[in-house]
Amino acid sequence: MIYFSNAKINLGLKIVGRREDGYHELRSLFVPIGWCDVLEVHVIEDEKPGEIDLKIEGVEVEGDLASNLVVKAYEMLSEDFKLPKMEVTLLKRIPTGAGLGGGSSNGSFMLKAINELCQLGLSEDSLEEYAGRLGSDCPFFIRNTASKVEGRGEIFKDAQKNLEALRDKKIIVIHPGIGVSTANAFQLLSESGNIGECEFDYSDLSTLTNDFEGAISDKVPEIKEVIEFLKSLGGAYTQMTGSGSAVFSLFDSTKLQGSEFEAVEKRVAEEVQNKGWSYYSGNII
């Protein structure tokens, strides 16, 4: 079976304090987008159960295969269920270290794939519980709908009504070819002193800002270059997503004729080719 594990963007990201458990308390709005990896999963019935073979193609992924969330998802479920051997090919298209949640999505979609292929009968609530053990972002990709995010990133509340403001929006996401470590991003944010209590108004998307953007783009000039380029195209809303390094811009399709947005996409394609960046252009999903 083939599964398309999609990316997400953060509409705003506020760090509002440090928790007793050492994690940071955050506020954000997660929105799924159509930039996808491809996960091909095959059940091998006649071989030794409880084993997984993973092959990764496309975008390079750091770390060994044993640390990949696809493998960890399989191993976690195999502790509770007798699973057949599986052969998995992951075609990476979503850049890593980009703030797009590609790795988290892969792990969560693997949970859903196993649940379907092995007929485990796990509910979405149960899958979210397993996904939360993989990582903070992972539960989002189980239901894969716009969500208000709180806590350390593990508390999700439905935000479909907030998505209404995005129905007529096109999105362009550019990755500048350089990754940002989440740990390094938090270090830079701490050094900047930009952590404190704040209001986060989900009802007004234009007010949602990313606390990481200033500190990270100052240290990674490629991000600032992408931000300035996208703003020059006239997008309604431009922002770095997550802790970086990808940047997105929203365009109002009701105000743009088809040929006008095509002209914007052409400029992006030319700039990306010249700079060695990568990009996605499409709809909010």
Side-chain angles (χ1 to χ4, degrees):
M1 289 287 289
I2 293 178
Y3 300 85
F4 295 93
S5 52
N6 59 276
K8 58 82 181 164
I9 57 168
N10 296 70
L11 279 173
L13 177 55
K14 289 288 183 183
I15 307 301
V16 298
R18 188 95 180 199
R19 296 156 51 105
E20 292 183 359
D21 59 10
Y23 287 96
H24 289 84
E25 188 82 14
L26 61 85
R27 302 285 185 274
S28 189
L29 181 63
F30 282 11
V31 179
I33 62 172
W35 200 347
C36 296
D37 291 335
V38 183
L39 195 64
E40 185 174 355
V41 185
H42 294 281
V43 174
I44 312 299
E45 295 285 4
D46 297 330
E47 295 191 26
K48 185 178 179 180
E51 293 185 355
I52 179 172
D53 288 338
L54 173 64
K55 180 171 66 174
I56 301 177
E57 302 174 349
V59 173
E60 184 177 353
V61 179
E62 294 183 359
D64 57 26
L65 293 179
S67 64
N68 191 280
L69 291 184
V70 170
V71 174
K72 289 186 174 296
Y74 178 90
E75 291 176 341
M76 181 170 56
L77 286 180
S78 69
E79 294 176 359
D80 296 336
F81 302 93
K82 185 177 180 179
L83 301 182
K85 179 176 179 178
M86 292 187 175
E87 292 182 351
V88 181
T89 300
L90 173 60
L91 175 58
K92 285 295 295 179
R93 293 173 171 169
I94 303 169
T96 60
L100 294 167
S104 298
S105 180
N106 297 153
S108 292
F109 271 81
M110 186 63 186
L111 291 175
K112 292 194 283 188
I114 296 170
N115 188 46
E116 178 183 7
L117 295 174
C118 298
Q119 299 180 346
L120 302 183
L122 294 172
S123 66
E124 287 186 329
D125 286 344
S126 294
L127 287 170
E128 284 182 339
E129 191 278 326
Y130 279 110
R133 289 157 57 184
L134 287 178
S136 296
D137 287 356
C138 294
F140 166 75
F141 293 101
I142 299 300
R143 286 181 168 84
N144 211 23
T145 59
S147 302
K148 299 174 184 178
V149 183
E150 298 178 359
R152 61 180 174 83
E154 86 288 8
I155 300 173
F156 297 91
K157 301 176 182 178
D158 182 74
Q160 285 301 102
K161 66 179 181 179
N162 299 89
L163 195 58
E164 290 301 319
L166 303 174
R167 292 295 180 193
D168 295 320
K169 296 291 192 298
K170 297 283 189 180
I171 185 171
I172 292 176
V173 187
I174 295 179
H175 181 253
I178 184 169
V180 173
S181 157
T182 301
N184 289 343
F186 273 103
Q187 179 63 36
L188 288 171
L189 184 63
S190 297
E191 292 172 358
S192 73
N194 195 23
I195 296 178
E197 292 295 333
C198 67
E199 295 296 323
F200 196 81
D201 186 1
Y202 292 101
S203 65
D204 187 357
L205 300 184
S206 66
T207 67
L208 303 186
T209 58
N210 186 338
D211 283 348
F212 285 99
E213 186 175 298
I216 303 303
S217 61
D218 283 344
K219 292 293 185 179
V220 185
E222 293 89 346
I223 296 175
K224 187 168 290 187
E225 184 178 4
V226 172
I227 292 171
E228 292 172 353
F229 170 67
L230 282 172
K231 284 183 176 179
S232 75
L233 300 177
Y237 184 91
T238 299
Q239 188 181 96
M240 188 181 78
T241 182
S243 56
S245 57
V247 180
F248 66 89
S249 193
L250 302 179
F251 295 82
D252 192 338
S253 61
T254 63
K255 296 180 181 179
L256 283 173
Q257 300 297 323
S259 59
E260 292 177 306
F261 188 69
E262 288 173 7
V264 170
E265 289 181 304
K266 183 178 179 181
R267 282 193 61 193
V268 169
E270 290 172 349
E271 189 75 5
V272 163
Q273 185 174 18
N274 290 336
K275 299 287 188 179
W277 301 339
S278 58
Y279 82 106
Y280 167 80
S281 177
N283 298 313
I284 299 289
I285 63 171

PDB file of all heavy atoms in Angstrom, residues 83-96:
ATOM      1  N   LEU A  83       3.208  -8.522  14.909  1.00  0.00           N
ATOM      2  CA  LEU A  83       3.185  -7.937  13.580  1.00  0.00           C
ATOM      3  C   LEU A  83       3.973  -8.786  12.592  1.00  0.00           C
ATOM      4  O   LEU A  83       5.022  -9.351  12.944  1.00  0.00           O
ATOM      5  CB  LEU A  83       3.793  -6.519  13.605  1.00  0.00           C
ATOM      6  CG  LEU A  83       3.130  -5.493  14.508  1.00  0.00           C
ATOM      7  CD1 LEU A  83       3.832  -4.147  14.371  1.00  0.00           C
ATOM      8  CD2 LEU A  83       1.638  -5.355  14.211  1.00  0.00           C
ATOM      9  N   PRO A  84       3.509  -8.886  11.361  1.00  0.00           N
ATOM     10  CA  PRO A  84       4.288  -9.582  10.325  1.00  0.00           C
ATOM     11  C   PRO A  84       5.493  -8.736   9.926  1.00  0.00           C
ATOM     12  O   PRO A  84       5.559  -7.538  10.233  1.00  0.00           O
ATOM     13  CB  PRO A  84       3.291  -9.701   9.169  1.00  0.00           C
ATOM     14  CG  PRO A  84       2.398  -8.516   9.338  1.00  0.00           C
ATOM     15  CD  PRO A  84       2.248  -8.322  10.821  1.00  0.00           C
ATOM     16  N   LYS A  85       6.414  -9.364   9.255  1.00  0.00           N
ATOM     17  CA  LYS A  85       7.537  -8.601   8.718  1.00  0.00           C
ATOM     18  C   LYS A  85       7.001  -7.600   7.693  1.00  0.00           C
ATOM     19  O   LYS A  85       6.053  -7.887   6.955  1.00  0.00           O
ATOM     20  CB  LYS A  85       8.554  -9.524   8.043  1.00  0.00           C
ATOM     21  CG  LYS A  85       9.741  -8.776   7.438  1.00  0.00           C
ATOM     22  CD  LYS A  85      10.783  -9.702   6.851  1.00  0.00           C
ATOM     23  CE  LYS A  85      11.918  -8.894   6.235  1.00  0.00           C
ATOM     24  NZ  LYS A  85      12.994  -9.761   5.692  1.00  0.00           N
ATOM     25  N   MET A  86       7.632  -6.416   7.654  1.00  0.00           N
ATOM     26  CA  MET A  86       7.241  -5.397   6.689  1.00  0.00           C
ATOM     27  C   MET A  86       8.460  -4.841   5.977  1.00  0.00           C
ATOM     28  O   MET A  86       9.530  -4.674   6.585  1.00  0.00           O
ATOM     29  CB  MET A  86       6.484  -4.253   7.376  1.00  0.00           C
ATOM     30  CG  MET A  86       5.126  -4.651   7.899  1.00  0.00           C
ATOM     31  SD  MET A  86       4.182  -3.236   8.516  1.00  0.00           S
ATOM     32  CE  MET A  86       2.615  -4.025   8.886  1.00  0.00           C
ATOM     33  N   GLU A  87       8.280  -4.601   4.699  1.00  0.00           N
ATOM     34  CA  GLU A  87       9.293  -3.908   3.903  1.00  0.00           C
ATOM     35  C   GLU A  87       8.730  -2.539   3.533  1.00  0.00           C
ATOM     36  O   GLU A  87       7.621  -2.446   2.987  1.00  0.00           O
ATOM     37  CB  GLU A  87       9.646  -4.706   2.652  1.00  0.00           C
ATOM     38  CG  GLU A  87      10.380  -5.998   2.965  1.00  0.00           C
ATOM     39  CD  GLU A  87      10.778  -6.774   1.715  1.00  0.00           C
ATOM     40  OE1 GLU A  87      10.325  -6.378   0.611  1.00  0.00           O
ATOM     41  OE2 GLU A  87      11.525  -7.757   1.846  1.00  0.00           O
ATOM     42  N   VAL A  88       9.482  -1.497   3.859  1.00  0.00           N
ATOM     43  CA  VAL A  88       8.996  -0.130   3.694  1.00  0.00           C
ATOM     44  C   VAL A  88      10.000   0.683   2.883  1.00  0.00           C
ATOM     45  O   VAL A  88      11.208   0.641   3.159  1.00  0.00           O
ATOM     46  CB  VAL A  88       8.783   0.548   5.071  1.00  0.00           C
ATOM     47  CG1 VAL A  88       8.244   1.960   4.881  1.00  0.00           C
ATOM     48  CG2 VAL A  88       7.846  -0.286   5.945  1.00  0.00           C
ATOM     49  N   THR A  89       9.490   1.389   1.898  1.00  0.00           N
ATOM     50  CA  THR A  89      10.308   2.353   1.157  1.00  0.00           C
ATOM     51  C   THR A  89       9.736   3.743   1.417  1.00  0.00           C
ATOM     52  O   THR A  89       8.550   3.986   1.216  1.00  0.00           O
ATOM     53  CB  THR A  89      10.293   2.074  -0.353  1.00  0.00           C
ATOM     54  OG1 THR A  89      10.818   0.767  -0.590  1.00  0.00           O
ATOM     55  CG2 THR A  89      11.151   3.097  -1.096  1.00  0.00           C
ATOM     56  N   LEU A  90      10.601   4.630   1.883  1.00  0.00           N
ATOM     57  CA  LEU A  90      10.210   6.005   2.165  1.00  0.00           C
ATOM     58  C   LEU A  90      10.877   6.924   1.146  1.00  0.00           C
ATOM     59  O   LEU A  90      12.097   7.036   1.111  1.00  0.00           O
ATOM     60  CB  LEU A  90      10.636   6.399   3.580  1.00  0.00           C
ATOM     61  CG  LEU A  90      10.445   7.866   3.984  1.00  0.00           C
ATOM     62  CD1 LEU A  90       8.983   8.270   3.903  1.00  0.00           C
ATOM     63  CD2 LEU A  90      11.001   8.115   5.389  1.00  0.00           C
ATOM     64  N   LEU A  91      10.066   7.529   0.305  1.00  0.00           N
ATOM     65  CA  LEU A  91      10.570   8.507  -0.656  1.00  0.00           C
ATOM     66  C   LEU A  91      10.419   9.885  -0.029  1.00  0.00           C
ATOM     67  O   LEU A  91       9.312  10.416   0.103  1.00  0.00           O
ATOM     68  CB  LEU A  91       9.792   8.436  -1.972  1.00  0.00           C
ATOM     69  CG  LEU A  91      10.140   9.500  -3.024  1.00  0.00           C
ATOM     70  CD1 LEU A  91      11.613   9.447  -3.398  1.00  0.00           C
ATOM     71  CD2 LEU A  91       9.259   9.339  -4.264  1.00  0.00           C
ATOM     72  N   LYS A  92      11.557  10.468   0.388  1.00  0.00           N
ATOM     73  CA  LYS A  92      11.544  11.756   1.067  1.00  0.00           C
ATOM     74  C   LYS A  92      11.513  12.889   0.056  1.00  0.00           C
ATOM     75  O   LYS A  92      12.389  13.013  -0.798  1.00  0.00           O
ATOM     76  CB  LYS A  92      12.781  11.904   1.953  1.00  0.00           C
ATOM     77  CG  LYS A  92      12.750  11.109   3.246  1.00  0.00           C
ATOM     78  CD  LYS A  92      11.666  11.582   4.198  1.00  0.00           C
ATOM     79  CE  LYS A  92      11.885  12.987   4.702  1.00  0.00           C
ATOM     80  NZ  LYS A  92      10.779  13.426   5.618  1.00  0.00           N
ATOM     81  N   ARG A  93      10.489  13.704   0.178  1.00  0.00           N
ATOM     82  CA  ARG A  93      10.382  14.933  -0.606  1.00  0.00           C
ATOM     83  C   ARG A  93      10.387  16.158   0.297  1.00  0.00           C
ATOM     84  O   ARG A  93      10.831  17.229  -0.109  1.00  0.00           O
ATOM     85  CB  ARG A  93       9.103  14.914  -1.444  1.00  0.00           C
ATOM     86  CG  ARG A  93       9.091  13.851  -2.545  1.00  0.00           C
ATOM     87  CD  ARG A  93       7.729  13.786  -3.199  1.00  0.00           C
ATOM     88  NE  ARG A  93       7.714  12.945  -4.381  1.00  0.00           N
ATOM     89  CZ  ARG A  93       6.599  12.549  -5.013  1.00  0.00           C
ATOM     90  NH1 ARG A  93       5.425  12.939  -4.543  1.00  0.00           N
ATOM     91  NH2 ARG A  93       6.666  11.792  -6.081  1.00  0.00           N
ATOM     92  N   ILE A  94       9.849  16.000   1.502  1.00  0.00           N
ATOM     93  CA  ILE A  94       9.803  17.096   2.464  1.00  0.00           C
ATOM     94  C   ILE A  94      11.203  17.289   3.044  1.00  0.00           C
ATOM     95  O   ILE A  94      11.799  16.341   3.562  1.00  0.00           O
ATOM     96  CB  ILE A  94       8.809  16.796   3.593  1.00  0.00           C
ATOM     97  CG1 ILE A  94       7.416  16.527   3.036  1.00  0.00           C
ATOM     98  CG2 ILE A  94       8.772  17.941   4.605  1.00  0.00           C
ATOM     99  CD1 ILE A  94       6.443  15.956   4.062  1.00  0.00           C
ATOM    100  N   PRO A  95      11.750  18.495   2.982  1.00  0.00           N
ATOM    101  CA  PRO A  95      13.093  18.725   3.538  1.00  0.00           C
ATOM    102  C   PRO A  95      13.130  18.448   5.038  1.00  0.00           C
ATOM    103  O   PRO A  95      12.136  18.625   5.743  1.00  0.00           O
ATOM    104  CB  PRO A  95      13.350  20.215   3.246  1.00  0.00           C
ATOM    105  CG  PRO A  95      12.380  20.586   2.183  1.00  0.00           C
ATOM    106  CD  PRO A  95      11.175  19.713   2.370  1.00  0.00           C
ATOM    107  N   THR A  96      14.287  18.028   5.520  1.00  0.00           N
ATOM    108  CA  THR A  96      14.478  17.798   6.950  1.00  0.00           C
ATOM    109  C   THR A  96      15.012  19.074   7.598  1.00  0.00           C
ATOM    110  O   THR A  96      15.601  19.927   6.938  1.00  0.00           O
ATOM    111  CB  THR A  96      15.443  16.637   7.193  1.00  0.00           C
ATOM    112  OG1 THR A  96      16.719  16.949   6.600  1.00  0.00           O
ATOM    113  CG2 THR A  96      14.917  15.353   6.572  1.00  0.00           C
TER     114      THR A  96
END
